[in-house]
Amino acid sequence: MEDYSYLLSPGPVNVPDSVLKAMHHRSIHHRTSEFSSILKQLLQNMEKIFRTEKRVLPVHATGRGALEATITNLFSPGDEIASICNGRFGEMYAGIAETFGLKVHRVCTDWEKDVELETLWDLLKRNPQIKAISVCHNETSTAVENDIKSIARMAHERGAIVMVDTVSSLGGMEFRFDEWEIDVAVAASQKALMAPTGLSFVVLSEKAWDMYGKSTLPKSYFDLASIFKKVSVPDPETPGSTPVALIAALAESSRMILEEGLENVWNRHHRVSTAVKKALEAMGLDLFPVNVTKRSDTVTAFFLPTEITSDAVKHLMYEKFGIVITGGLGPYKKQVIRLGHMGNFFERDCLLLISSIEAVLCMLDERQKPGAGLGSLVESLKGGSS
Ligand code: PLP
């Protein structure tokens, strides 16, 4: 096996060459104007990608660290929030809040279903003390897009804020922080933003900053006001030592997104996602979960035929083709495969992904015949570009 594996997992993703080149640089000190100009460009690009005029805060951590930061910066022990838990990552946000002494009302806990807005509304009406709703925009564990616009409206009607995990959606799926009146958004580098793992971003609304003023949970490394202060000057910096190479990588990957055009990037993700999903269905596979109205544009999940395990498929994909994909999570670990088609993923990658999946399923099950997936892709891609 060559020492090059191809990542078609729901993050981390393949990093484009020019992003790798941006990191491959002699050392730059983080207290120099040379560094500040790279950071400044990155933050301006990220404002456009979040569709916000608010300050974008870089957090030196993976997505989970930034999610934690939003809890410790806005709340006090005993505060109550509602958490949409229709997947592993919605559950993760809820769990972090509990770790810091918040009372969490879990709603919509069925991984096979969409958010039930009536259930959420009833909960908010019965519990006017709830200060926030946490929700995952794109539930990476189930490949479902949650209806964050409706959830944001509902939160505001009840005087709560909405906190959105956009870790696997930002840069790949439509998201508009200001227009949709989102209060908290968290994103991470290693998904549709096309960079290596290790850097995250947080954006807060004015209401969220008001809550910061009242929060009593301890904060130090993740104190968002200290990050805000450092980036809100003509030559921005970050507190402490800075992962300069990651900042340089993100400056380049965000530039690439804006060069292609953010809406073009969203459309490309929708196009390739639709083509992949249709091809899997043409192969007789059922998408997971079955009962949802909006499927993710960055991730596809599907059920395997009962006699095939996700471990066998993952193993063969890697051994034969050097392609990394992932299995399901939690109760769906064995039965479900999850594929990522985000960031640096184009029509040619659909061909690679579908033909290799089809080949592996044929190798594992003699009854499978090759061709249906590729045939469907040809139809889907006829009109497409790139
Ligand atoms: N939220 C979502 C939606 C994710 O997909 C992930 C990781 O896959 C996380 C949060 C956790 O982020 P990280 O692994 O960067 O800490």
Side-chain angles (χ1 to χ4, degrees):
M1 170 67 55
E2 53 190 329
D3 66 348
Y4 171 58
S5 60
Y6 203 70
L7 308 189
L8 297 178
S9 73
V13 301
N14 296 311
V15 176
D17 284 351
S18 70
V19 176
L20 293 173
K21 276 192 203 125
M23 298 177 75
H24 190 72
H25 201 288
R26 69 187 159 72
S27 294
I28 297 178
H29 198 282
H30 55 281
R31 301 284 178 244
T32 57
S33 56
E34 188 181 8
F35 170 71
S36 287
S37 72
I38 300 172
L39 178 61
K40 192 171 185 167
Q41 191 57 60
L42 164 63
L43 298 180
Q44 283 170 359
N45 292 350
M46 290 308 298
E47 283 173 22
K48 296 192 178 105
I49 294 175
F50 274 107
R51 290 277 163 115
T52 186
E53 292 187 357
K54 307 270 179 313
R55 196 73 74 201
V56 175
L57 308 177
V59 178
H60 305 167
T62 69
R64 211 148 42 92
L67 291 173
E68 178 173 321
T70 63
I71 297 295
T72 56
N73 278 263
L74 303 193
F75 298 98
S76 306
D79 278 351
E80 299 188 26
I81 67 167
S83 290
I84 309 288
C85 286
N86 58 345
R88 161 66 62 85
F89 295 102
E91 184 57 51
M92 176 186 279
Y93 215 167
I96 295 170
E98 278 172 341
T99 302
F100 286 95
L102 273 64
K103 179 170 177 201
V104 175
H105 301 262
R106 282 179 172 68
V107 266
C108 313
T109 51
D110 188 336
W111 287 28
E112 299 233 22
K113 284 201 187 136
D114 267 339
V115 173
E116 287 145 11
L117 292 174
E118 305 74 38
T119 312
L120 179 61
W121 182 248
D122 283 351
L123 176 83
L124 296 177
K125 265 196 351 206
R126 275 185 284 110
N127 297 278
Q129 72 283 11
I130 288 178
K131 291 189 166 171
I133 303 173
S134 72
V135 58
C136 204
H137 182 199
N138 181 65
E139 208 2 298
T140 324
S141 59
T142 55
V144 169
E145 178 179 352
N146 282 321
D147 181 0
I148 54 171
K149 269 198 278 182
S150 302
I151 294 168
R153 269 198 302 272
M154 202 175 269
H156 296 148
E157 267 182 61
R158 302 301 312 175
I161 63 161
V162 63
M163 309 168 67
V164 185
D165 171 343
T166 68
V167 167
S168 62
S169 59
L170 194 84
M173 286 160 57
E174 182 178 6
F175 180 76
R176 298 172 190 270
F177 188 92
D178 288 357
E179 195 182 318
W180 296 353
E181 299 187 24
I182 305 298
D183 296 291
V184 175
V186 174
S189 51
Q190 76 273 25
K191 311 255 180 189
L193 295 177
M194 304 190 293
T197 309
L199 194 71
S200 301
F201 299 95
V202 171
V203 187
L204 300 183
S205 69
E206 270 141 40
K207 261 192 270 171
W209 278 117
D210 288 345
M211 287 172 67
Y212 173 93
K214 296 180 192 127
S215 154
T216 62
L217 277 168
K219 31 201 149 306
S220 171
Y221 186 80
F222 288 135
D223 185 340
L224 295 177
S226 72
I227 302 175
F228 184 91
K229 204 166 145 210
K230 281 283 194 189
V231 295
S232 302
V233 291
D235 291 320
E237 297 177 352
T238 70
S241 301
T242 308
V244 173
L246 278 175
I247 300 273
L250 265 301
E252 171 59 12
S253 64
S254 58
R255 187 201 63 74
M256 289 172 71
I257 290 171
L258 297 175
E259 183 181 65
E260 185 177 342
L262 186 57
E263 295 189 8
N264 295 335
V265 174
W266 295 339
N267 291 338
R268 168 167 57 82
H269 279 79
H270 184 63
R271 230 174 30 242
V272 294
S273 170
T274 308
V276 165
K277 287 173 172 62
K278 274 192 183 162
L280 293 169
E281 286 180 323
M283 289 158 62
L285 299 161
D286 291 322
L287 298 184
F288 171 80
V290 177
N291 297 315
V292 290
T293 46
K294 200 124 194 245
R295 295 196 180 277
S296 160
D297 277 345
T298 55
V299 182
T300 293
F302 64 93
F303 286 106
L304 287 166
T306 40
E307 55 284 1
I308 301 179
T309 65
S310 61
D311 276 350
V313 175
K314 279 189 310 182
H315 180 76
L316 216 49
M317 282 289 275
Y318 189 66
E319 286 307 309
K320 288 275 178 201
F321 307 121
I323 294 175
V324 179
I325 57 170
T326 52
L329 290 171
Y332 304 97
K333 192 170 169 9
K334 286 203 174 118
Q335 274 178 284
V336 168
I337 286 285
R338 291 178 309 133
L339 309 169
H341 29 75
M342 59 178 112
N344 194 31
F345 187 105
F346 293 82
E347 271 78 358
R348 61 164 182 261
D349 300 292
C350 295
L351 290 166
L352 178 64
L353 179 58
I354 289 300
S355 48
S356 55
I357 288 274
E358 199 161 30
V360 161
L361 292 182
C362 289
M363 288 172 205
L364 290 169
D365 179 359
E366 283 170 5
R367 290 165 309 166
Q368 294 270 350
K369 297 285 169 258
L374 193 55
S376 162
L377 260 194
V378 172
E379 284 307 307
S380 296
L381 301 184
K382 264 182 191 164
S385 58
S386 64

